[in-house]
Amino acid sequence: MTLQRTKEILSDLIAFETVSADSNLEIIHYLTDFLTALGARCIQTQDATGTKANVFAKLGPEMDGGIVLSGHTDVVPVADQDWTSDPFQMVERDGKLYGRGTCDMKGFIAAALAFAETLDAKQLTQPLHFSFTYDEETGCLGARNLVDDLSERGIVPDIAIIGEPTEMRVIEGHKGCYEYTTSFIGLEGHSSAPDDGVNAAEYAARYIGKLLELRQVLKSRAPSGSPFEPPWTTVNIGLISGGVAHNVIASKAEVAWEMRPVQSSDADLVKRTLSDYVKRTLLPEMQAVHSAANITQQAVAEVAGLEPMDKNAARDLVAELTGANGTGVVSFATEAGLFQQLGVQAIVCGPGSITQAHKADEYVEIEQLELCCRMLDRLGRRMTA
């Protein structure tokens, strides 16, 4: 019965076209109304535009702690993908449910809602929270907003289960994803008089050189026994642009780059080293020639990693609920690290495979949803015992 109800709810959720570039308010209203009807106390947090929102809901007793079931409402675009059916109309075929977001990750949200319907909130011995966010696909922006709000309110659950598609494997760690665009403003001029200008492209190249130095330093900082591959924090230069012609001193340049930290201290080291290099070396040299020269940096995304912990009640709980004999790590980022930073013990476990995410004809296997429903049913029995 819970599986059938999950499928019905999932069909509703897929019909909301919650591509990250667009508003998600319709689905948030649906989720809020759904949970409110079950007696949940709901909090919404909006972005600066007022077109996106999170909902954080609570069932059960008024006390601290509790367990969070967490998922993101946004999906990646379908433009230029060759779908065999309407991506925003769920289709069942050969034991699979097709549609944008079935796997990543509305399947888990649907299972969580169907699970909520089975509960008598008065019987819960601890709070059960539901966290549904915006813009995970573009940098976990909604979760960052949500976690800040929870911190201000003094709401710190004990455990968070983030239902990203892991084929119901228990995932206790993933690297972070920090993406930046660094812009350089110099002074153009004729290439025959390089000392009269400030070549933004050259300063961008020196900045890249510092990043590459840090890349080597980070390899030596790999934690002992790191389960990741590679085991250290990586740095990637994704895009370099600047200049207009061979014989013109470049007045503008831009570097798009990222790092994937295995530990937060690595991210701190990179940011601190680069900031010092800019302030003490590059900027003084540039502004000695042209006072308006500048270097600015835009943080496109700062998604905290989920660091494996020796003691993790979330890992132990979900391993018990699923019967898993071991845990693993993954290369993709999730919102789990943000909950961990809040002081919540977090784990990633959800239906579907990440190999199906973001593709045309995205699907989740019905068998995977059934396994998720069983896990949540066991959770319910535990929370009402």
Side-chain angles (χ1 to χ4, degrees):
M1 186 63 182
T2 304
L3 175 61
Q4 181 58 36
R5 185 65 178 128
T6 296
K7 290 164 64 176
E8 293 169 358
I9 297 170
L10 180 55
S11 181
D12 289 345
L13 299 181
I14 297 305
F16 292 103
E17 300 186 20
T18 52
V19 175
S20 301
D22 302 323
S23 173
N24 77 330
L25 292 183
E26 287 188 4
I27 196 171
I28 289 297
H29 294 328
Y30 173 97
L31 296 169
T32 301
D33 290 345
F34 190 107
L35 291 165
T36 299
L38 299 178
R41 288 85 75 195
C42 296
I43 301 169
Q44 288 189 9
T45 50
Q46 292 191 337
D47 75 342
T49 70
T51 63
K52 308 243 180 114
N54 307 306
V55 60
F56 188 83
K58 179 179 183 179
L59 283 173
E62 285 295 341
M63 57 188 292
D64 294 336
I67 297 173
V68 182
L69 302 178
S70 177
H72 62 82
T73 64
D74 61 316
V75 298
V76 297
V78 298
D80 300 322
Q81 292 187 338
D82 187 17
W83 285 72
T84 57
S85 59
D86 184 342
F88 297 107
Q89 180 176 342
M90 193 180 78
V91 174
E92 181 174 345
R93 188 170 63 249
D94 300 326
K96 301 171 182 175
L97 301 175
Y98 290 85
R100 173 57 85 221
T102 50
C103 169
D104 186 17
M105 59 177 293
K106 292 179 178 179
F108 178 78
I109 296 176
L113 294 179
F115 165 59
E117 284 187 329
T118 69
L119 295 171
D120 180 353
K122 294 179 181 178
Q123 299 299 315
L124 289 168
T125 58
Q126 59 181 306
L128 177 63
H129 306 277
F130 300 85
S131 171
F132 303 131
T133 59
Y134 67 86
D135 284 1
E136 186 272 348
E137 299 289 3
T138 55
C140 294
L141 305 181
R144 289 162 62 184
N145 183 1
L146 174 68
V147 166
D148 288 345
D149 184 67
L150 294 180
S151 179
E152 291 178 4
R153 294 174 184 268
I155 300 174
V156 183
D158 297 318
I159 287 173
I161 302 171
I162 290 79
E164 290 278 6
T166 68
E167 299 177 280
M168 295 304 297
R169 294 182 299 124
V170 182
I171 300 302
E172 65 172 335
H174 62 71
K175 292 185 180 183
C177 181
Y178 289 54
E179 299 177 347
Y180 302 96
T181 299
T182 307
S183 301
F184 301 79
I185 302 297
L187 177 64
E188 67 183 6
H190 198 283
S191 63
S192 64
D195 292 343
D196 293 339
V198 177
N199 195 314
E202 291 181 4
Y203 282 96
R206 291 172 61 182
Y207 186 88
I208 291 170
K210 181 61 70 173
L211 275 170
L212 297 181
E213 288 179 17
L214 284 166
R215 173 192 282 176
Q216 296 305 119
V217 171
L218 292 168
K219 287 183 178 181
S220 68
R221 288 171 56 91
S224 176
S226 172
F228 297 104
E229 181 57 41
W232 52 77
T233 294
T234 58
V235 171
N236 180 66
I237 313 301
L239 176 68
I240 305 170
S241 62
V244 294
H246 293 77
N247 60 349
V248 178
I249 297 171
S251 63
K252 295 180 181 180
E254 195 170 85
V255 179
W257 60 281
E258 65 147 39
M259 59 175 161
R260 303 268 175 160
V262 299
Q263 51 194 352
S264 59
S265 58
D266 285 351
D268 294 339
L269 170 69
V270 170
K271 291 192 289 185
R272 182 175 65 251
T273 302
L274 288 173
S275 177
D276 288 346
Y277 184 54
V278 166
K279 291 178 181 179
R280 298 179 182 181
T281 302
L282 298 185
L283 268 181
E285 291 182 16
M286 296 170 73
Q287 293 178 347
V289 178
H290 181 55
S291 61
N294 202 9
I295 300 173
T296 59
Q297 182 161 285
Q298 176 191 4
V300 178
E302 289 186 332
V303 181
L306 176 63
E307 297 187 28
M309 309 292 288
D310 290 337
K311 294 183 179 180
N312 186 335
R315 175 196 61 211
D316 298 341
L317 170 65
V318 177
E320 178 184 335
L321 296 175
T322 60
N325 293 321
T327 62
V329 298
V330 293
S331 58
F332 59 87
T334 78
E335 297 173 340
L338 291 167
F339 281 101
Q340 189 177 66
Q341 287 186 333
L342 181 64
V344 181
Q345 298 185 63
I347 201 74
V348 186
C349 182
S353 169
I354 196 65
T355 61
Q356 302 304 326
H358 299 191
K359 295 180 179 178
D361 290 344
E362 175 183 346
Y363 68 81
V364 64
E365 294 180 352
I366 295 174
E367 181 182 10
Q368 285 283 306
L369 282 182
E370 186 173 14
L371 290 172
C372 183
C373 289
R374 289 178 185 173
M375 177 189 76
L376 294 175
D377 286 343
R378 294 185 188 111
L379 175 65
R381 289 195 293 271
R382 183 185 181 98
M383 295 184 72
T384 55

